[in-house]
Amino acid sequence: MKEPKYKRILLKLSGESLSTDGEVIDPTILGQYAAEIKKVHDLGVEVAIVIGGGNIFRGASAAKAGIDRVQGDYMGMLATVINGMAVQASLEKQGLYTRMMTAIKVEAVCEPFIRRRAMRHLEKGRIVIFGAGTGNPYFTTDSTASLRAIEIEADVVLKGTRVDGVYSADPEKDPTATRYTNLSFTEAISKGLKIMDTTAFTLCQENNVPIIVFDMNKEGNLAALVSGEDVGMLDGLTIDYYGMQTPISGAASITTPDARTIAIKPFEKGIFAEIEKSIRNSSLGLNPMNDGELIRLSIPPLTEERRRDLVKRVKQEIEVAKINIRNARQDGNNSIKKLKGDGVSEDAIKEAEDKIQKKTDAYITRIDQVFNEKEKDIMSV
């Protein structure tokens, strides 16, 4: 891994990212996020976190329940405190030191937000979690993330989502959506891209704090991003570079001249063939064109055949996910069976195995639902 590009980051997570159909706060997701954050912390990066509360309560939707908007927003702030405490507990299980700071006083469980104290915590290597938004109604946690990033002098705001960057439309709903490699704040606002709200954009724009959107659910993405790597379409493709397997983004500059073209300019001409080989051997289905200066990848239009190929790729990923879930079930059952000799009753072991099976079935069902939804999206013209 490269030396970190950023010394201090503000990581913005949505509350919805912590939830699944069966859990408001899924401990598995919490554990995954904590492990990813630990990787970044171990690189020597100072980490601050802002998390939303939409999995529990969203103030903007309060009116539907007959609740005053201001009161609803305060309820939403308390939901962010609950999520923040969950993240804090999960990080501490990883052996990390943390501090939870809130904009409204909840002194029994966390500190009040004081800028200088927050910065001191970061300098001492503690991960700081900011809860309760800005402490004011009508402000989102996106705005909170931008504000806190400016206050603690963070180098960048990293917004963790379920997709690998900023697109012209929601890529989970529109298969023709194109990814932007670089985008100014003015362009994002004028194009109406729903990355963060306008207040958050404006705060970062006026204070020269960049915003990077990335897929938080992909293992290693956060650490790679903090190290300066592109974590987009070509992420995961490596080449033999001076005897080491190196990501393409570490051996070439990657740009997107237009919505359907990716241009790769290797740092050295001797690695053209390696890059072409890596792309051809991948499952991307792209044919690299080499003109001696650049390798160009043309993104083909989504014909019916192309759509069916994409569905096959999704199905392959789904099957891998199911295998991983079943392997986790087997590991869990094996751990439980080892307790037989420690005085644990047969009934208790059977109950634990049943719980593991129910959890396994729930995740398999959810995966099938995701696949069915994604298949419909891809095949819709």
Side-chain angles (χ1 to χ4, degrees):
M1 189 68 70
K2 301 177 183 177
E3 282 294 310
K5 181 179 180 180
Y6 306 108
K7 183 178 186 300
R8 180 178 292 167
I9 66 170
L10 189 294
L11 176 63
K12 169 62 172 66
L13 300 172
S14 70
E16 291 92 334
S17 68
L18 298 182
S19 67
T20 58
D21 286 347
E23 302 277 359
V24 174
I25 301 177
D26 190 315
T28 302
I29 295 174
L30 269 180
Q32 290 171 352
Y33 283 6
E36 294 301 302
I37 293 167
K38 184 178 187 301
K39 292 176 186 176
V40 170
H41 185 268
D42 289 348
L43 293 174
V45 178
E46 297 173 5
V47 182
I49 302 169
V50 170
I51 186 162
N55 56 320
I56 300 172
F57 190 86
R58 187 178 293 279
S61 303
K64 296 178 182 178
I67 299 171
D68 175 77
R69 171 62 190 271
V70 173
Q71 188 79 347
D73 278 356
Y74 280 114
M75 293 168 68
M77 290 178 210
L78 294 176
T80 71
V81 176
I82 293 172
N83 282 339
M85 292 173 66
V87 170
Q88 181 181 37
S90 191
L91 290 170
E92 290 178 347
K93 280 187 177 180
Q94 295 281 340
L96 300 170
Y97 293 98
T98 69
R99 288 293 186 274
M100 176 89 179
M101 308 185 84
T102 56
I104 55 178
K105 290 185 178 180
V106 195
E107 293 177 340
V109 293
C110 48
E111 302 176 21
F113 170 69
I114 299 173
R115 174 179 175 269
R116 289 183 181 275
R117 186 180 293 173
M119 295 179 73
R120 186 63 176 146
H121 286 322
L122 292 167
E123 289 165 359
K124 288 185 175 181
R126 299 163 183 157
I127 295 175
V128 179
I129 304 160
F130 298 120
T134 65
N136 301 290
Y138 296 100
F139 287 88
T140 67
T141 48
D142 281 345
S143 294
T144 302
S146 296
L147 178 61
R148 294 289 181 255
I150 295 161
E151 289 177 308
I152 66 172
E153 300 176 8
D155 300 318
V156 65
V157 173
L158 303 180
K159 182 169 182 179
T161 68
R162 296 181 300 183
V163 296
D164 62 352
V166 180
Y167 284 78
S168 58
D170 186 345
E172 294 189 337
K173 297 179 180 178
D174 184 357
T176 65
T178 54
R179 180 177 182 267
Y180 296 102
T181 302
N182 295 289
L183 195 67
S184 70
F185 287 106
T186 303
E187 287 175 319
I189 294 170
S190 65
K191 292 176 184 292
L193 302 177
K194 300 184 183 299
I195 311 160
M196 300 178 91
D197 62 67
T198 306
T199 302
F201 272 141
T202 303
L203 284 168
C204 286
Q205 181 180 29
E206 291 179 349
N207 292 275
N208 298 314
V209 178
I211 299 171
I212 300 176
V213 180
F214 72 106
D215 184 354
M216 182 66 185
N217 293 325
K218 185 168 183 180
E219 184 178 353
N221 259 8
L222 179 58
L225 186 59
V226 166
S227 298
E229 298 178 21
D230 177 31
V231 293
M233 179 181 285
L234 300 180
D235 179 47
L237 301 190
T238 62
I239 62 169
D240 187 343
Y241 192 46
Y242 288 101
M244 295 181 63
Q245 286 298 308
T246 304
I248 290 178
S249 57
S253 63
I254 302 172
T255 58
T256 51
D258 57 63
R260 293 198 176 278
T261 306
I262 298 174
I264 304 170
K265 187 172 184 178
F267 298 148
E268 299 177 23
K269 290 192 174 182
I271 60 175
F272 270 84
E274 281 291 331
I275 293 176
E276 289 183 87
K277 178 182 175 182
S278 179
I279 294 170
R280 285 199 175 97
N281 290 343
S282 73
S283 59
L284 293 174
L286 299 176
N287 183 33
M289 304 297 291
N290 177 0
D291 64 6
E293 295 293 330
L294 291 172
I295 296 173
R296 286 186 171 82
L297 303 177
S298 295
I299 310 301
L302 285 175
T303 61
E304 183 175 353
E305 182 179 359
R306 175 66 173 164
R307 291 174 192 272
R308 293 190 184 283
D309 286 341
L310 289 174
V311 169
K312 288 179 182 178
R313 285 182 55 197
V314 172
K315 193 168 185 179
Q316 289 170 356
E317 295 294 333
I318 290 292
E319 291 305 317
V320 171
K322 287 182 178 180
I323 291 171
N324 289 336
I325 290 172
R326 291 179 180 123
N327 287 341
R329 175 189 61 189
Q330 186 63 46
D331 291 341
N333 286 337
N334 289 341
S335 297
I336 290 169
K337 288 174 182 175
K338 291 178 182 178
L339 299 175
K340 285 185 178 180
D342 295 334
V344 179
S345 69
E346 290 284 350
D347 288 343
I349 289 173
K350 182 66 169 64
E351 183 180 355
E353 289 176 339
D354 288 343
K355 286 182 178 179
I356 289 176
Q357 186 60 52
K358 286 179 181 178
K359 182 70 72 173
T360 300
D361 293 341
Y363 276 106
I364 294 291
T365 299
R366 178 56 185 151
I367 286 176
D368 286 333
Q369 289 172 346
V370 170
F371 172 70
N372 291 334
E373 292 167 5
K374 184 57 61 179
E375 183 179 23
K376 289 178 182 177
D377 287 343
I378 293 173
M379 296 306 297
S380 297
V381 180

